[in-house]
Amino acid sequence: MWNWLRLIKDSVSEKTIGLMRMQFWKKTVDDIYSDNPPHQPVAIELWKAVRRHNLTKRWLMKIIDEREKNLDDKAYRNIQELENYAENTQSSLLYLTLEILGIKDLHADHAASHIGKAQGIVTCLRATPYHGSRRRVFLPMDICMLHGVSQEDFLRKSQDRNVRDVVYDVASQAHLHLKHARSFHRSVPVKAFPAFLQTVALEDYLKKIQQVDFDLFHPSLQRKNTLLPLSLYIQSRRKRY
């Protein structure tokens, strides 16, 4: 379901069609919680998961609602808007993952909130070259204005210092959320750690972007880290995130 929702925005040519698909998923979730799922493979599997793990409907609806609002091709007005989007999508997905793991813990929830926000910010950064190829820029407008950077600067892949400063500020916010999430490390149940292993990939990207002096369009950022699976394995063995 998550991939379906994520791809709706890029797969439809008209907002109306996107809204119709979102309405389908809203009704599907309502039907699932009424024990009457539609005969659709994804819906059936989601219904099974809801029954098996007693998943909270609110998190599912938040993901859909936020994706629906995001159908408009508008840049985030400020970093808080980007964080709110990340909280309602990425963090909500982590809350559901914790429920699947059978975890109800306030510290785990706090960590999930920060990790989800870091994930949303990093995703926004990573997707900027792709969005730029489609004449779109979603980076927070307040940070761009602070450094005197326009959307056109990103569209032409400028490497000016002020453009890099925008990327630095946004990336720093993601790093701060990871730091906050890890501050709960000793209080979070070990059973929750598998849900948070994405921090390894987030940290990897933030380190790589620092190494290229925050040049968002540097070719090295598009290459896969072949050692990432090993890093994930090591962190899982260490019971860390």
Side-chain angles (χ1 to χ4, degrees):
M1 174 183 170
W2 328 122
N3 286 333
W4 284 49
L5 292 172
R6 180 175 56 83
L7 293 173
I8 284 175
K9 182 174 179 177
D10 289 331
S11 63
V12 298
S13 56
E14 296 181 18
K15 181 182 176 181
T16 304
I17 298 174
L19 289 171
M20 290 172 62
R21 294 187 182 179
M22 292 297 182
Q23 287 302 314
F24 164 80
W25 282 110
K26 284 184 179 180
K27 185 177 186 307
T28 295
V29 170
D30 282 335
D31 290 342
I32 283 172
Y33 280 86
S34 298
D35 262 345
N36 185 34
H39 295 290
Q40 197 264 8
V42 176
I44 293 294
E45 291 305 312
L46 183 57
W47 172 67
K48 291 178 182 177
V50 167
R51 285 173 58 89
R52 186 180 304 120
H53 302 290
N54 194 28
L55 300 181
T56 301
K57 182 180 180 181
R58 180 172 74 257
W59 305 133
L60 293 168
M61 296 303 288
K62 275 196 170 190
I63 294 171
I64 300 172
D65 287 340
E66 197 64 33
R67 293 286 188 186
E68 183 178 52
K69 287 191 292 184
N70 198 244
L71 286 173
D72 291 316
D73 286 332
K74 295 180 181 178
Y76 298 102
R77 288 179 296 179
N78 48 56
I79 192 70
Q80 287 75 30
E81 272 197 359
L82 173 52
E83 289 176 333
N84 288 340
Y85 173 76
E87 168 70 28
N88 290 328
T89 54
Q90 301 292 346
S91 299
S92 290
L93 186 55
L94 284 174
Y95 299 145
L96 289 166
T97 304
L98 290 174
E99 289 186 341
I100 289 172
L101 293 173
I103 297 164
K104 292 185 178 180
D105 180 84
L106 187 60
H107 295 105
D109 288 344
H110 284 320
S113 176
H114 285 295
I115 292 170
K117 288 173 183 174
Q119 176 75 65
I121 294 170
V122 167
T123 298
C124 185
L125 287 170
R126 296 188 70 155
T128 295
Y130 167 73
H131 288 143
S133 70
R134 305 185 70 174
R135 304 291 300 174
R136 300 171 180 170
V137 179
F138 296 106
L139 292 170
M141 293 170 62
D142 63 335
I143 296 179
C144 291
M145 291 173 64
L146 177 66
H147 295 286
V149 174
S150 67
Q151 290 192 347
E152 190 61 35
D153 289 321
F154 282 99
L155 294 179
R156 63 182 177 85
K157 301 181 181 181
S158 170
Q159 297 182 5
D160 292 348
R161 183 70 257 171
N162 54 346
V163 173
R164 294 172 187 247
D165 287 342
V166 170
V167 178
Y168 169 82
D169 283 359
V170 177
S172 295
Q173 193 67 11
H175 179 76
L176 187 61
H177 281 298
L178 284 183
K179 184 178 179 180
H180 285 325
R182 286 168 173 158
S183 71
F184 297 102
H185 178 268
R186 296 184 182 278
S187 304
V188 171
V190 174
K191 191 179 175 183
F193 288 7
F196 299 156
L197 281 176
Q198 67 203 76
T199 56
V200 177
L202 298 178
E203 190 74 58
D204 176 69
Y205 179 82
L206 292 173
K207 284 181 178 178
K208 286 198 298 185
I209 206 171
Q210 183 179 19
Q211 289 168 358
V212 298
D213 195 22
F214 303 97
D215 174 10
L216 202 54
F217 302 97
H218 196 282
S220 66
L221 296 178
Q222 306 304 317
R223 292 196 290 266
K224 291 183 178 180
N225 180 358
T226 56
L227 295 178
L228 193 57
L230 178 60
S231 298
L232 285 166
Y233 174 75
I234 291 173
Q235 285 294 78
S236 66
R237 293 286 293 178
R238 288 177 175 174
K239 304 296 183 186
R240 299 184 65 87
Y241 63 82

